[in-house]
Amino acid sequence: MKSIYLDHAATTYLDPRVKRAMEPFWDKEFGNPSSFHSVGKRAKEAVDAARGKIAEVLGCRESEIIFTMGGTESDNLAIFGVTKALEKTGKHIITSKIEHPAVWHSCEKLEKDWNAERSQSHAERGGRVSYIKVNRQGIIDLKELEAAITPETVLVSIMYANNEIGTIEPIREIAKIIRQKREEFKTKHPYFHTDACQAAGALEMNVAKLGADLLTFNGSKIYGPKGIGALYIKTGTPLTPILYGGGQERGYRSGTENVPAIIGLAEALKLTNEEKEKENARLIKLRDYLIENLLKIPKTILNGHPTLRLPNNVNISFMDIEGEAMVLYLDSYGIYGSTGSACQSATLEPSHVIRAIGLPYEAAHGSLRLTLGRRTTKADLDYLLKILPEIVGKLRAISPVKLNMKHYQ
């Protein structure tokens, strides 16, 4: 049976070149970077070199890179770290309605804690989170964002590219609005954080060009190891740690460094950045070919922006059927996709992203995310296009739902 992996937004396989770079640090150069002897010093030198590789891609100082266990921890550190450091300045943060669960669950928790403190202290006002809406294509409403920023806003967290529908957000314009608000309020805040886990390896990562104060990325989306990530923190950005211990990573992230994974993360980012132009062109051609042919299936909708989207992302809603059933049928043919974020695969709740772009529950339940990668070929997509219409037909034949498409155009 064929094996066609189309879930690269969930995770990627390890690049053999990355694996080779990591191998010495499992058993030969196994030292603790905090140790003072030569074995530890060699490990520290390797970590420092990895930090330098990443800083070169991001166009920042080496001291501005903090290693974490992944994108989720980096997002948490950015959100809780900045708000804790600035809790006497203000208790208001802004995010969007289509953020990754690592961001919006953190925001929900933060708002809950703020309101609990308010209740206990009988204060007139607690903290709050503003969730900015997006349009039908998933682009954030810049006017609503600008109007939402107040002198009490300490952080704006907007993702660089959406993990489900692939839409690329206008990060530079968001950063410009934030700078203008700082000038207007004569403050150093709000600070700007962006989750770039899906964007890394495909889009511009120079933080000066993007205008970000904090930027999250991880290894598992760029053909690097899982369980490793990093947070860029611009010099001068106030941040309180959320983990305490030995004071590693300049005191921002205590815990013995995962040296092999750090080496792998740096090598993976370097390689994807070097090869992205050629690979993006190849993927865009395949992506557009797939979208064009999937939309030939009756009662289908493309989710996300038609062109301002990640080179490898295809997200289609098939009306009248369940996305989970499609995924299971495809799996039986050796084709591996998803209905949305892998982090939410355990729940049958409809995608909050699809709902946020204005589509009904029926469209959210019928969504299918197919994300291409380095090994994806046109032959793979042709096989998918041969199989999928048959699956859609079978599922629609047994479905009690018969929607009128005039309501979803």
Side-chain angles (χ1 to χ4, degrees), residues 317-376:
S317 283
F318 299 85
M319 297 304 193
D320 301 343
I321 60 179
E322 291 283 343
E324 290 81 5
M326 270 191 296
V327 170
L328 291 174
Y329 263 99
L330 287 170
D331 184 84
S332 71
Y333 285 95
I335 302 170
Y336 312 113
S338 72
T339 56
S341 170
C343 301
Q344 295 293 98
S345 61
T347 176
L348 294 179
E349 287 297 311
S351 164
H352 73 284
V353 175
I354 304 299
R355 295 287 290 127
I357 62 176
L359 290 178
Y361 283 98
E362 294 84 358
H365 276 300
S367 65
L368 178 67
R369 183 185 71 177
L370 301 168
T371 44
L372 321 181
R374 289 179 183 168
R375 297 175 184 168
T376 306

Side-chain angles (χ1 to χ4, degrees), residues 281-296:
R282 188 186 75 88
L283 288 172
I284 288 171
K285 186 176 181 179
L286 290 174
R287 177 200 72 187
D288 292 348
Y289 172 75
L290 181 57
I291 290 173
E292 179 184 356
N293 283 278
L294 287 178
L295 290 178
K296 292 177 182 178

Side-chain angles (χ1 to χ4, degrees), residues 100-334:
H100 188 277
V103 170
W104 58 265
H105 280 325
S106 295
C107 291
E108 288 177 339
K109 169 63 174 171
L110 188 61
E111 191 168 35
K112 182 179 178 180
D113 290 347
W114 276 340
N115 288 328
E117 292 171 5
R118 173 193 176 190
S119 177
Q120 293 171 3
S121 63
H122 304 288
E124 292 183 5
R125 297 182 62 185
R128 63 189 179 91
V129 179
S130 295
Y131 296 90
I132 306 301
K133 66 177 181 290
V134 297
N135 64 16
R136 173 66 182 81
Q137 297 173 330
I139 301 291
I140 190 170
D141 187 326
L142 293 176
K143 290 184 178 179
E144 183 183 352
L145 171 66
E146 184 176 8
I149 299 175
T150 75
E152 292 187 343
T153 308
V154 294
L155 181 69
V156 175
S157 182
I158 305 293
M159 67 193 336
Y160 193 170
N162 187 264
N163 55 300
E164 289 193 36
I165 60 175
T167 296
I168 300 168
E169 299 298 336
I171 297 300
R172 292 173 179 82
E173 289 85 346
I174 293 170
K176 182 179 179 181
I177 290 170
I178 292 171
R179 288 194 301 270
Q180 290 171 342
K181 286 294 182 178
R182 290 173 184 165
E183 293 174 5
E184 178 185 338
F185 301 146
K186 293 181 172 55
T187 62
K188 293 182 179 180
H189 63 276
Y191 293 90
F192 179 32
H193 166 248
T194 187
D195 182 329
C197 288
Q198 293 292 333
L203 304 179
E204 174 64 68
M205 290 288 283
N206 185 291
V207 290
K209 293 179 180 178
L210 297 176
D213 301 301
L214 304 106
L215 181 143
T216 293
F217 69 98
N218 64 0
S220 64
K221 308 296 190 288
I222 55 173
Y223 305 91
K226 298 174 180 63
I228 186 67
L231 179 66
Y232 158 74
I233 309 169
K234 185 178 180 179
T235 300
T237 302
L239 195 80
T240 298
I242 59 175
L243 289 177
Y244 293 87
Q248 291 89 344
E249 296 300 297
R250 295 174 53 224
Y252 287 123
R253 203 284 180 180
S254 291
T256 301
E257 296 91 341
N258 185 345
V259 179
I262 288 172
I263 302 305
L265 174 66
E267 185 68 9
L269 183 66
K270 173 180 173 288
L271 291 171
T272 54
N273 189 65
E274 289 174 348
E275 298 169 0
K276 68 182 178 184
E277 187 174 343
K278 182 178 180 181
E279 180 65 359
N280 282 353
R282 188 186 75 88
L283 288 172
I284 288 171
K285 186 176 181 179
L286 290 174
R287 177 200 72 187
D288 292 348
Y289 172 75
L290 181 57
I291 290 173
E292 179 184 356
N293 283 278
L294 287 178
L295 290 178
K296 292 177 182 178
I297 301 173
K299 302 181 77 172
T300 60
I301 297 174
L302 175 66
N303 299 316
H305 198 282
T307 57
L308 297 177
R309 68 187 302 128
L310 290 169
N312 72 332
N313 179 284
V314 176
N315 190 304
I316 302 277
S317 283
F318 299 85
M319 297 304 193
D320 301 343
I321 60 179
E322 291 283 343
E324 290 81 5
M326 270 191 296
V327 170
L328 291 174
Y329 263 99
L330 287 170
D331 184 84
S332 71
Y333 285 95

